[in-house]
Amino acid sequence: MDRIYMDHAATTPLDERVLEDMMPFLKENFGNPSSAHFFGREVRKALEKAREKMASLLGATPEEIYFTSGGTEADNLAIIGSARALRNRGNHIITTSVEHHAVLDTCLALKEEGFEVTVLPVDQYGMVDPNDVREAIQENTILLSVMYANNEVGTIQPVEEIGKIARENNILFHIDAVQSVGNLPVNVEKLSVDLLALSAHKFYGPKGVGLLFIKEGTGINHLTHGGGQERGKRAGTENIPGIIGMAKAMELAYSELEEFVPRMEALRDRLIHGCLEMEEVKLNGHPSQRLPGNVNVSFEYIEGEALLLSLDFKGVAASSGSACSSGSMNPSHVLLAAGMSEQTARGAIRLSLGRHNSMEEVDYVLQVIKESVDKLRSMSSIYQGKGER
Amino acid sequence: MDRIYMDHAATTPLDERVLEDMMPFLKENFGNPSSAHFFGREVRKALEKAREKMASLLGATPEEIYFTSGGTEADNLAIIGSARALRNRGNHIITTSVEHHAVLDTCLALKEEGFEVTVLPVDQYGMVDPNDVREAIQENTILLSVMYANNEVGTIQPVEEIGKIARENNILFHIDAVQSVGNLPVNVEKLSVDLLALSAHKFYGPKGVGLLFIKEGTGINHLTHGGGQERGKRAGTENIPGIIGMAKAMELAYSELEEFVPRMEALRDRLIHGCLEMEEVKLNGHPSQRLPGNVNVSFEYIEGEALLLSLDFKGVAASSGSACSSGSMNPSHVLLAAGMSEQTARGAIRLSLGRHNSMEEVDYVLQVIKESVDKLRSMSSIYQGKGER
Amino acid sequence: MYNEKVMEHFNNPRNAGDMENPDGVGEIGNVRCGDITKVFIKVNEQGIIEDIKFRTFGCGAAIASSSMLTEMVKGKHVDEAVKITDIEVADNLGGLPPQKLHCSNLAADALKAALKDYQDKQK
Amino acid sequence: MYNEKVMEHFNNPRNAGDMENPDGVGEIGNVRCGDITKVFIKVNEQGIIEDIKFRTFGCGAAIASSSMLTEMVKGKHVDEAVKITDIEVADNLGGLPPQKLHCSNLAADALKAALKDYQDKQK
Ligand SMILES: Cc1ncc(COP(=O)(O)O)c(C=O)c1O
Ligand SMILES: Cc1ncc(COP(=O)(O)O)c(C=O)c1O
């Protein structure tokens, strides 16, 4: 069997239809959109059309869309930019213990500038309790940042309810929706959100481009200085092919959502059930409120890293959680936040399904997982399984 | 005649050979380099190979290369990152009045954080005097930022000499070399530089990718928080196709430099002389120390914007200076810094030549310029030419 | 950036140039952008503007606005012409980019100055 | 991340498993990464390590290091075996990624514990 990719939460392949739309902008339409001449104007038109397309999919206006180099930059701009802009109103920020580092570390870094940060706990499924949000709000709270769906365990947060609480209390609400487009309906009106971050490569778009939705009337400071692009909010020559590709990828994600979700859920549930049939396995994340393609399971007595290595050797690409470049083997902060022991957290792997995965692949992967788990357990110093001593 | 592009300082078309190298990474090699599995490892290898290639071209080590989303981000990271890191050693920064906004505005923004900024003057050719640099240095000077070549008037600064002064005084030296690769030899050793910023789309590479050279041992603060990519200095999933393309573009820029420079200079000089043959025209920038493809001339009695419009109508794409997205018609800060009157500065246009321009095009453009200038002058309220009243 | 109508007026400006023995001359400079427009008018005994010319140092919008203004004014009575506003000039051009709107002032103001010059001379 | 030799040992670990009636057993846990390695040895009358087995809860590097260690030790005299260092284990594997170097401690330390257990039993 060919190599099987089940790490779509880390990144997705570029959709062929997206690449097709990008090609003219990698060839003849190369102008700088800031140039007043023909070459620039043609590109400016395409850029603004892409912005309109994405705005309308999100339920926003084009003026509310700001392109960035990815989800990380969008998250940073949202959090640092709004916190600094609102500094005179207050200095308290609320976020959760299961955020991606692009949000969590950004909030914590603001402590150095005199901000106070409350990091909300989650339940055993990695879910935030809206009541905890309500209770954490102080007089000086200016910003609340909660992810839509978790990248590691797939848990979908009650963001609509949390958004209402933010609005009632007149607090800016930022959503890291990087894992959501293509998997969930994302509409800024329904979500009562002021700031929302996306990254194209998570939904079959190109790497190196993302966007930040900034609700009209929300003043945020820009973080980089330069040519005044993106109405002064994000300086630097725009990644035009990237933005054009992102628009097409988003269009496809929205139009194919209805077909995609049940198909992923069927694969996901087969994979989850197959894993749970093995011994001493635990499903991480929420049993029902989870991303359609997310499987995250802990196998007791073995380390996830060793299991991944073994799967990789057999042509199966999975992950231990977030694709973090540090190479560190610290157990996932998300699993620890959900109350898991370090040892069990170490036994976690994530399989994230995507457009091209099939039922046959799921069945093959289940077989490979079983073999690998059995082998690793048989040599594990902490396993005392049947038939052993 | 086809449309003629003479705005290569704003952006360049992607070289076909560059696109060819990028294609596999826009298709099958889509993995996230932070992923430990096969798909990730393949991409990681390519990423590190690209880093090695660029490092060796620049005379640096791979560990000294940090990828960013472009020149603006690289400049911001260099300046803000190093200033903050050195805050305990001093709070004085020196830069010049002809820098790109990505440098100038960034330095000035640091005033809000308590930094003191000296903005050096330039001579009538837009050139910085090394003696002025020497004199501006104070006890508390920590950073000096000077561009290699000016994007508007093409003047090449005496960066080697300035670098020596920085080194003698133990001050960090940052060079904005965004306009240099492909036009000038760029070697970090020869330049005695600690920080150096590049942007791929200025040398026939893709938009949305750049790099910052950070000399080993130079501690700079990171500005965005997230997954710890680029050894903690620049968070966010890497723009892999962009980085691969940048490596190829840089390789071509270096290998073709010797052939490219005299060819551009010949075109440039014909264009300059042709313009200077018209009446009341002034060459902006340095007569000899200038980028091989840069032509910047002021036509008295007319506005550059109107002239560009007229050229555009006749299929010739040129620029009034920097491709700044603000749409403002303020006269160029570079020309004003060089001592030009506002009115003459308003009459400036920039023609920046590139790989595909030919002598025929230059001759055609000269003819078009002459016609347009004559026509605009004939209706100018401040022109009293021969044969007029 | 500019619409087709603006570009058409820019490329084929109406009534650009000088006028011998004008009945009124107005010149206005715009401090904001440094543009300068000059308007010359010839008015007949009925007070009808029979001929009008302009010269402009300025951007495309300033030139197109001048051209449009002269077209709007020609054949009008001075009492009507004086009522023409910069907004009407911009509207007749099908709109101007926001940062260029102030350029349409220039032409309208220069016309007013020319009309004042004409009236002063009548006294 | 890992070189081929490491991967080969990981995929085909030598001497993995249990041992009946070992002459020495050592178990070491690494607080830094939570890994635990157990080493069992069988020593003959000449002091030669005739057989060795390991069990490891840990990452690929920990498993490969354990496997390599057992290969290095088998047939050696206890006095020689006790001198084997984590660095030698990593070197014999052709190197480990920097953040994984500490994993090779585990196997070497577990062997030392097993040798101590054997010596204690001899007394
Ligand atoms: C939830 C979440 N937020 C933010 C990011 C950062 O996105 P990027 O790496 O594209 O900058 C990611 C992906 O890595 C993510 O999964
Ligand atoms: C000298 C100089 N520095 C910095 C930049 C910014 O580069 P980018 O727009 O690719 O971020 C440019 C180009 O716009 C430039 O010409």
Side-chain angles (χ1 to χ4, degrees), chain A residues 336-366:
Chain A
L336 297 183
M340 189 172 276
S341 76
E342 285 219 8
Q343 201 170 78
T344 308
R346 278 226 169 69
I349 66 164
R350 175 187 73 185
L351 299 134
S352 43
L353 300 155
R355 278 191 196 155
H356 305 292
N357 290 135
S358 64
M359 226 20 125
E360 292 74 60
E361 287 182 336
V362 165
D363 289 339
Y364 175 76
V365 167
L366 277 170

Side-chain angles (χ1 to χ4, degrees), chain A residues 9-11 68-76 98-103 147-152 176-180 197-202 206-210 322-324 350, chain B residues 32 225-227 229 234-238:
Chain A
T11 195
T68 68
S69 67
T72 299
E73 190 189 340
D75 279 330
N76 274 262
V98 294
E99 298 300 308
H100 188 272
H101 289 293
V103 167
M147 72 203 313
Y148 197 161
N150 186 272
N151 50 307
E152 295 190 30
D176 175 347
V178 168
Q179 292 287 337
S180 313
L198 298 181
S199 190
H201 74 98
K202 303 285 188 183
K207 292 178 175 59
V209 59
S322 65
C324 182
R350 175 187 73 185
Chain B
N32 187 323
H225 313 274
Q229 288 88 348
R234 202 279 181 178
T237 300
E238 298 86 345

Side-chain angles (χ1 to χ4, degrees), chain A residues 32 229 235-238, chain B residues 9-10 69-73 75 100 102-103 147 149-151 176-179 199-202 209 323:
Chain A
N32 187 324
Q229 289 88 348
T237 300
E238 298 87 344
Chain B
S69 66
T72 299
E73 191 189 340
D75 279 329
H100 187 272
V103 168
M147 72 202 313
N150 187 271
N151 49 307
D176 175 347
V178 168
Q179 291 287 339
S199 190
H201 73 98
K202 303 286 188 184
V209 59

Side-chain angles (χ1 to χ4, degrees), chain B residues 301-303 305-307 309-310 312-313 326-330 343 346 375-385 388-389, chain C residues 1-2 7 10-13 16-18 27 32-38 40 54-61 63 99-100:
Chain B
Y301 313 123
I302 61 174
E303 269 206 8
E305 196 254 25
L307 179 52
L309 216 55
S310 183
D312 180 52
F313 186 72
S326 62
S328 86
M329 282 299 128
N330 293 329
Q343 202 171 79
R346 277 226 169 70
K375 180 175 167 192
L376 289 167
R377 281 184 177 169
S378 78
M379 58 172 125
S380 168
S381 53
I382 58 171
Y383 182 67
Q384 318 259 336
E388 305 268 330
R389 293 210 276 164
Chain C
M1 177 158 137
Y2 295 125
M7 284 305 294
F10 170 75
N11 283 306
N12 306 298
D18 292 310
E27 177 169 335
R32 233 168 106 199
C33 60
D35 292 358
I36 300 167
T37 286
K38 227 170 177 165
F40 311 86
F54 81 90
R55 285 181 72 128
T56 291
F57 164 71
C59 63
I63 291 170
Q99 75 273 22
K100 288 292 186 182

Side-chain angles (χ1 to χ4, degrees), chain D residues 66-116:
Chain D
S66 304
S67 165
M68 173 51 79
L69 176 96
T70 61
E71 210 173 62
M72 288 163 71
V73 162
K74 213 169 186 172
K76 278 220 168 67
H77 192 277
V78 288
D79 295 345
E80 267 182 273
V82 80
K83 291 183 205 151
I84 291 174
T85 66
D86 48 349
I87 295 159
E88 287 170 292
V89 175
D91 281 354
N92 273 345
L93 281 170
L96 284 172
Q99 74 273 23
K100 289 292 186 181
L101 265 177
H102 67 275
C103 298
S104 55
N105 290 349
L106 212 58
D109 289 353
L111 170 67
K112 286 196 181 68
L115 288 168
K116 186 164 186 307

Side-chain angles (χ1 to χ4, degrees), chain C residues 8 14-15 19 25 37 55 65 80 85 91 94-95 102-104 109-110 119 121:
Chain C
E8 203 277 318
R14 330 291 196 253
N15 309 304
M19 186 186 284
V25 179
T37 286
R55 285 181 72 128
S65 299
E80 269 182 90
T85 65
D91 280 354
H102 67 274
C103 299
S104 54
D109 288 354
Q119 264 142 3
K121 280 181 185 160

Side-chain angles (χ1 to χ4, degrees), chain B residues 247-268:
Chain B
K248 182 66 173 182
M250 227 167 123
E251 188 190 334
L252 295 171
Y254 274 73
S255 68
E256 295 175 1
L257 185 68
E258 224 175 302
E259 176 274 324
F260 178 80
V261 170
R263 193 156 60 80
M264 286 307 105
E265 284 176 343
L267 297 178
R268 175 194 72 185

